[in-house]
Amino acid sequence: MLHKSDGLVRAGQVVLLIQQSEIACSDLDSRPPRRAMPNHRLAAALPHRVGLLLLVGFAAIPSGTAAQDYHTDIRPIIEGRCLGCHAEDGVAFSMEDADRAYGRRGKIGEMLLERRMPPWLAEAGHQSYVGDPSLSGEELERVRRWVDAGYPRGTPQRSTARPAPLAPFRADLTLDVTGGRAYLPDQGGPDEYRCFVLDWPRQTPGFITGFKAVPGNLHVSHHVVVHAIEPPLAQRFHELEGEEEGAGYRCFGGALPDRFNSRTERDAYDARYTNGVRELSRGNFWLAHWAPGMDGYTFPEGTGIAMKPGAALVVQMHYYTRHAPGESDQGSLLEFQLADEVERPAVNYPLTQNRWLNGERNGSMVVGPGAQATYEVSESLGDLLGYLAFATQVPQDSIEALEIHSANLHMHSFGHSGVVTLTDGNGRRETLLSIPRWDLGWQRDFTFVHPKVFGRDGLEDVRLSVQCTFENSTDRPVYGGYGSDEEMCFNFSYIAVRAAGRRSADGSNRGAPRR
């Protein structure tokens, strides 16, 4: 009688299973498994053109209809896709030992088939992204057949395969957010937004070309936002820090202190510095950010974010202490890659509707108990030119083209799904990023293999949009706001400018539009 063992053909077995007499050899791997025929019926069913391939004796050939097995078919996927993180020196439990990893077979199959691992939230079919670790259709089918067959183990294979660990982020500059001191977040509530002011130490103009945040205590660090401060205002921000007890200052809504929410405080500051609050608001821009799931990243080649000597950084740390009462933050680091010059200056642009962040007060963002709600905002690329000119230090009249390099959707724990789109002047809409199943723990910048490039003419007719859908399973309303139990809808896109007359040290033109 014919029999199979772990999906492999063993010596002395006849294992060519024929689906129908018209089948060709190349069809065998694509047919679903069927029950094997008795020997005499199998021999009679073979057509002449494949009959000579019926091997009896000590031949061994693979059976395309057999179930996949762990060692032959699944282990190579783990070695090629998972060990970069799931290793003894990695960021997750180790799967280097094949037998120990097999002990997790049920969870491995589930996570791979549900596309929860490797962690990649972007829906396929819209864009090609840099560093996409998603399994191919063939690999997913292999996993499905293995699961359906009951996780056959198979015979261990000799393998020396081991992917290189994730490329280390090589920093040119490292700054300690709290100056080496421990900071205990406010224990009076679940959230605290605290800003720390750091001097930018470089004494010559230059560019940031890569960024990494390393929270000192992941139990309490919810996210990090870094704002760049114009040099004339650096000392003013240090003053704000010195006027509150303890390290840093409360900064619930960006780089400015919470106390400016009071009309009295704003008026007092404006009396000290004419139009002082407005100057502080206009004298900073969003530099970089970190949220759970993000790692260090190098910006697209030839681009960088401009920094001036004498500038400062305001680092907003969002601490969430509900699940880690009494725990302090210490050793939170910011790491930067640097260059003296780049071809195309850039900036991280945050797209949102600011009034949503006061949803309880103004009713602009409310998700009812047990309900879903969708919010969307869009902005013309032409309307971004003033902000981009300020942040990149490129005169607005010199900007000849814009490059959109990435998308990054950000919501909180009630996020359900979201999409980032571009719409041109003819109404054609292109999806830059679709996340059909939001997961707060795996956020990242999705960088396009090919950036979206738009010449200066017609920028006013091109719109960048973000749409967020929230699902509230509680019995209370959820409002837009900064808290972990509130919601927000952001897209962050890394946008570079191509400028007329920007020349490199060797005299070649920098930033001339290329298609």
Side-chain angles (χ1 to χ4, degrees):
M1 173 179 287
L2 292 176
H3 64 279
K4 295 178 289 185
S5 175
D6 298 332
L8 298 178
V9 179
R10 305 301 176 195
Q13 299 172 11
V14 178
V15 294
L16 210 62
L17 306 183
I18 304 303
Q19 307 288 330
Q20 54 187 12
S21 61
E22 295 83 8
I23 194 169
C25 295
S26 60
D27 293 324
L28 291 175
D29 286 338
S30 63
R31 300 286 177 171
R34 294 185 64 184
R35 186 174 58 186
M37 298 181 189
N39 285 355
H40 66 280
R41 292 182 59 196
L42 175 60
L46 287 173
H48 292 295
R49 62 177 178 270
V50 298
L52 294 178
L53 296 179
L54 181 61
L55 304 181
V56 181
F58 293 96
I61 62 175
S63 169
T65 59
Q68 312 294 286
D69 74 66
Y70 170 72
H71 283 291
T72 303
D73 304 292
I74 307 306
R75 187 64 194 174
I77 295 176
I78 293 174
E79 291 175 345
R81 302 281 188 170
C82 306
L83 295 190
C85 293
H86 288 273
E88 297 297 337
D89 57 351
V91 297
F93 64 84
S94 176
M95 293 200 293
E96 290 185 77
D97 184 280
D99 290 332
R100 287 174 58 193
Y102 181 73
R104 298 176 179 264
R105 56 193 175 276
K107 181 59 68 174
I108 289 173
E110 174 188 341
M111 298 300 278
L112 291 179
L113 288 180
E114 292 184 0
R115 293 182 179 267
R116 293 184 181 275
M117 288 287 159
W120 188 259
L121 303 184
E123 185 176 47
H126 300 294
Q127 303 292 332
S128 295
Y129 303 104
V130 175
D132 184 351
S134 303
L135 270 62
S136 68
E138 183 276 330
E139 288 172 322
L140 285 169
E141 177 63 13
R142 212 188 305 169
V143 175
R144 185 194 64 76
R145 292 160 82 177
W146 175 58
V147 171
D148 288 349
Y151 309 96
R153 189 166 191 157
T155 302
Q157 308 292 306
R158 178 181 295 275
S159 173
T160 59
R162 168 73 192 275
L166 297 177
F169 183 88
R170 303 191 183 281
D172 300 308
L173 172 67
T174 300
L175 302 177
D176 190 314
V177 174
T178 63
R181 301 181 297 275
Y183 177 76
L184 178 65
D186 182 9
Q187 301 295 294
D191 295 278
E192 183 185 14
Y193 287 76
R194 197 77 181 179
C195 278
F196 303 91
V197 183
L198 310 179
D199 289 319
W200 182 248
R202 298 255 296 183
Q203 301 304 309
T204 56
F207 293 83
I208 296 170
T209 58
F211 172 75
K212 180 178 182 179
V214 186
N217 186 347
L218 287 170
H219 293 149
V220 297
S221 296
H222 185 280
H223 72 240
V224 178
V225 176
V226 184
H227 301 269
I229 307 302
E230 287 290 283
L233 299 174
Q235 185 55 40
R236 299 250 298 269
F237 276 91
H238 278 296
E239 289 176 4
L240 298 175
E241 191 174 33
E243 291 168 355
E244 292 195 19
E245 184 178 352
Y249 58 87
R250 290 181 178 275
C251 54
F252 192 66
L256 272 61
D258 283 1
R259 61 182 186 270
F260 282 176
N261 289 327
S262 162
R263 169 69 68 178
T264 301
E265 290 282 350
R266 291 198 305 274
D267 289 346
Y269 194 82
D270 284 343
R272 189 180 357 161
Y273 298 101
T274 304
N275 295 321
V277 175
R278 183 178 183 184
E279 287 180 340
L280 295 180
S281 298
R282 294 189 170 191
N284 73 87
F285 64 89
W286 189 295
L287 176 66
H289 48 270
W290 171 88
M294 296 180 68
D295 197 24
Y297 56 102
T298 300
F299 301 158
E301 185 176 0
T303 73
I305 300 174
M307 289 296 293
K308 301 174 184 176
L313 304 177
V314 170
V315 185
Q316 183 196 72
M317 301 289 298
H318 177 187
Y319 295 120
Y320 184 64
T321 62
R322 173 170 292 173
H323 300 301
E327 293 197 29
S328 297
D329 175 31
Q330 185 172 9
S332 287
L333 305 177
L334 304 181
E335 298 183 349
F336 301 92
Q337 294 174 338
L338 305 172
D340 293 331
E341 184 61 276
V342 298
E343 293 180 355
R344 284 122 42 225
V347 69
N348 281 301
Y349 180 72
L351 174 61
T352 190
Q353 180 67 262
N354 287 327
R355 62 191 181 93
W356 290 340
L357 300 173
N358 290 297
E360 185 172 9
R361 187 172 64 188
N362 60 28
S364 60
M365 179 179 280
V366 184
V367 187
Q372 275 196 358
T374 297
Y375 289 85
E376 182 173 6
V377 62
S378 67
E379 194 157 9
S380 161
L381 294 189
D383 291 341
L384 306 186
L385 288 176
Y387 178 87
L388 296 176
F390 159 69
T392 62
Q393 302 176 33
V394 173
Q396 186 169 333
D397 292 343
S398 299
I399 296 177
E400 292 190 341
L402 301 183
E403 302 173 351
I404 300 179
H405 283 271
S406 67
N408 180 334
L409 193 67
H410 177 69
M411 296 181 284
H412 284 173
S413 56
F414 295 95
H416 174 272
S417 56
V419 62
V420 181
T421 59
L422 267 176
T423 305
D424 66 17
N426 295 315
R428 291 186 294 261
R429 175 173 287 201
E430 178 182 13
T431 297
L432 300 183
L433 174 65
S434 174
I435 295 181
R437 184 178 56 202
W438 172 251
D439 188 330
L440 181 65
W442 294 107
Q443 302 177 60
R444 60 171 297 147
D445 290 317
F446 293 89
T447 301
F448 314 132
V449 172
H450 304 291
K452 310 302 175 183
V453 182
F454 299 91
R456 177 65 177 265
D457 294 339
L459 284 179
E460 291 75 12
D461 298 324
V462 180
R463 301 193 70 84
L464 179 64
S465 304
V466 58
Q467 180 187 92
C468 300
T469 297
F470 305 101
E471 187 170 72
N472 179 9
S473 59
T474 74
D475 58 0
R476 63 172 182 81
V478 172
Y479 298 100
Y482 292 95
S484 296
D485 294 329
E486 298 175 306
E487 267 305 341
M488 54 177 57
C489 177
F490 271 90
N491 170 61
F492 305 104
S493 283
Y494 186 79
I495 303 178
V497 301
R498 297 180 179 181
R502 185 173 177 81
R503 308 189 72 82
S504 63
D506 61 8
S508 60
N509 190 56
R510 289 187 180 274
R514 299 189 300 269
R515 292 284 182 179

